[in-house]
Amino acid sequence: MRTTVGIIGAGPAGLLLARLLHNAGIDSVVLESRDRAYVERRQRAGILEQGTADVLRAAGAGKRMDREGLRHDGIELRFDRRRHRVDFPALTGGRSVMVYAQTEVCKDLIALQLREGGPLLFEAEALAVEDAATDAPRVRFRHEGREDVLECEYVVGCDGFWGVARSAIPADLTQVFERTHPFGWLGILADVPPSHDELVYARHDRGFALLSMRSPSVSRLYLQVPDGTDAGTWSDEEIWGELERRFETADDWRLERGPITQKSVTPMRSYVHEPMRHGRLFLAGDAAHIVPPTGAKGLNLAVGDVVTFARALTHREETGSAELLDTYSETCLRRIWQAERFSYDMTTLLHRAPGATGFEDRLQLARLERIASSRAAETDLAEGYTGFLFG
């Protein structure tokens, strides 16, 4: 099998890249180790930055998002039983975010790819990327019980942290930067309308809490818990009780309860792999970087990566110049490190570290007071949350 771009992974990054290349007249093949049903029900991110939503619209994949997604023009910060709303459009010149789950993004892009795009092979396990440093890289993969080879001009690894793409870059050429946080998020899905019409980020002495949503009838909520927590050790009653304590305000706001349909614990870590390119192999998304979910950056960073690659390859096809491909890693990493910085700031602003002292608690409150009282500080948060420019 032969193609111009071999894409490993049919998450939102790989699927969007295939769509962008199709629209530019560049052929590709997507290899996905899981079956279609798994990809379409895999629960991940739910916040799309302004730039991500705009890219999906421009790619022809935004109709259902605009019909069913929830545009949010701000978030609410809670601390010391107080409430402060951050107004995104007023602070950023009109930018907002969209609540639209990754599962729905994948469904939309899969439907487009199968109807209009190149081959999308499910249950096709990539085994290795070979000859990445040459002009003819190859992806060895297993599909329908037999091994095959995908011959490419370029390979893009959108196959996550545990995929084969990253391991194809020689270790002596790489640098890894990482930090693991000593807490995680206990997340739940609940069949109850959200208790607030925008996301609520709560800093509390007992730990962080987040009120989010998947739809007008389904709530997504999170609690900071110690690293290594087993979600099954928390009863539904304990979860709702703890959420109520951490979201408590001085007014008459109340948290609505409902049946919990899913519980899971998400670890919190920061990770960056440099470089993101080796020869004709390019990394995108979690294959190259991971952020704590506090800043809602993971999916959006992956979108930025594939937009950057698609623009660079289109430029090469139109002009013959490889300049943008040659600077892919540097271009992406400038944006990635800003997102890492923002996610780290949000995480340390809102989570109480184990063994935190009274001094550290007061510093957190002072930082939140600064955001609530300074337009400059509030603008910095709004600009970071609604997204960093692609490219």
Side-chain angles (χ1 to χ4, degrees), residues 90-155:
L91 296 163
T92 64
R95 281 152 56 184
S96 62
V97 297
M98 181 76 74
V99 176
Y100 191 63
Q102 173 176 311
T103 50
E104 306 311 310
V105 173
C106 287
K107 289 174 187 176
D108 297 341
L109 290 169
I110 286 170
L112 283 170
Q113 184 72 6
L114 294 178
R115 185 169 69 245
E116 302 174 8
L120 166 54
L121 305 182
F122 290 104
E123 299 181 89
E125 180 188 5
L127 302 174
V129 178
E130 300 172 341
D131 301 326
T134 73
D135 292 340
R138 302 149 42 97
V139 182
R140 191 158 45 82
F141 68 99
R142 183 183 295 112
H143 184 234
E144 296 181 341
R146 66 178 186 275
E147 284 196 18
D148 204 342
V149 172
L150 178 62
E151 298 179 348
C152 318
E153 295 180 31
Y154 305 91
V155 175

Side-chain angles (χ1 to χ4, degrees), residues 29 60 65 85 121 164 177 184 254 269-270 328 351 355 367:
V29 172
M65 174 190 72
R85 181 175 185 267
L121 305 182
V164 300
F177 305 88
R254 293 292 180 270
R269 65 185 298 231
S270 304
Y328 168 81
H351 293 74
R367 291 169 65 191

Side-chain angles (χ1 to χ4, degrees), residues 60-332:
K63 290 183 179 179
R64 194 164 70 93
M65 174 190 72
D66 284 329
R67 186 173 65 249
E68 300 179 11
L70 306 173
R71 172 182 162 141
H72 281 200
D73 287 336
I75 59 172
E76 182 173 289
L77 299 176
R78 291 193 185 178
F79 59 100
D80 214 15
R81 303 182 70 220
R82 296 169 48 195
R83 305 169 64 178
H84 176 77
R85 181 175 185 267
V86 179
D87 185 331
F88 293 156
L91 296 163
T92 64
R95 281 152 56 184
S96 62
V97 297
M98 181 76 74
V99 176
Y100 191 63
Q102 173 176 311
T103 50
E104 306 311 310
V105 173
C106 287
K107 289 174 187 176
D108 297 341
L109 290 169
I110 286 170
L112 283 170
Q113 184 72 6
L114 294 178
R115 185 169 69 245
E116 302 174 8
L120 166 54
L121 305 182
F122 290 104
E123 299 181 89
E125 180 188 5
L127 302 174
V129 178
E130 300 172 341
D131 301 326
T134 73
D135 292 340
R138 302 149 42 97
V139 182
R140 191 158 45 82
F141 68 99
R142 183 183 295 112
H143 184 234
E144 296 181 341
R146 66 178 186 275
E147 284 196 18
D148 204 342
V149 172
L150 178 62
E151 298 179 348
C152 318
E153 295 180 31
Y154 305 91
V155 175
V156 182
C158 304
D159 52 344
F161 182 79
W162 300 107
V164 300
R166 183 168 51 89
S167 63
I169 300 180
D172 61 348
L173 300 180
T174 69
Q175 282 187 291
V176 169
F177 305 88
E178 59 186 326
R179 178 174 185 135
T180 301
H181 297 276
F183 42 74
W185 280 8
L186 170 61
I188 65 166
L189 280 175
D191 287 336
V192 60
S195 299
H196 193 62
D197 55 3
E198 294 177 333
L199 274 70
V200 177
Y201 287 77
R203 185 270 172 203
H204 192 277
D205 285 344
R206 295 177 64 89
F208 167 75
L210 172 62
L211 185 156
S212 183
M213 63 282 295
R214 283 292 178 260
S215 74
S217 60
V218 177
S219 293
R220 182 74 159 153
L221 300 111
Y222 298 93
L223 287 169
Q224 176 187 343
V225 293
D227 185 37
T229 294
D230 178 357
T233 63
W234 282 72
S235 70
D236 292 7
E237 179 65 28
E238 287 173 327
I239 291 171
W240 287 117
E242 191 62 26
L243 287 166
E244 287 174 346
R245 279 188 285 272
R246 298 189 194 184
F247 285 125
E248 184 182 14
T249 62
D251 59 18
D252 60 356
W253 182 89
R254 293 292 180 270
L255 178 68
E256 297 297 327
R257 297 188 178 198
I260 294 176
T261 59
Q262 184 184 106
K263 301 177 189 177
S264 61
V265 172
T266 301
M268 304 282 282
R269 65 185 298 231
S270 304
Y271 176 91
V272 180
H273 179 284
E274 297 185 10
M276 293 173 59
R277 178 202 178 181
H278 174 57
R280 294 286 186 102
L281 168 63
F282 298 77
L283 304 182
D286 285 0
H289 46 77
I290 295 171
V291 290
T294 323
K297 288 284 164 274
L299 167 61
N300 297 290
L301 279 179
V303 168
D305 295 342
V306 298
V307 167
T308 301
F309 176 82
R311 287 176 180 170
L313 185 55
T314 301
H315 181 74
R316 169 66 183 261
E317 296 291 308
E318 293 175 348
T319 70
S321 170
E323 178 185 3
L324 298 184
L325 286 171
D326 291 341
T327 58
Y328 168 81
S329 186
E330 294 87 344
T331 300
C332 289

Side-chain angles (χ1 to χ4, degrees), residues 76-86 201 203 345 348-350 360-379 381:
E76 182 173 289
L77 299 176
R78 291 193 185 178
F79 59 100
D80 214 15
R81 303 182 70 220
R82 296 169 48 195
R83 305 169 64 178
H84 176 77
R85 181 175 185 267
V86 179
Y201 287 77
R203 185 270 172 203
D345 286 350
T348 57
L349 174 70
L350 296 163
E360 291 165 322
D361 290 338
R362 293 303 293 268
L363 281 181
Q364 280 187 319
L365 293 173
R367 291 169 65 191
L368 287 160
E369 290 277 6
R370 174 68 175 168
I371 293 168
S373 61
S374 164
R375 185 176 179 87
E378 193 177 27
T379 299
L381 187 154

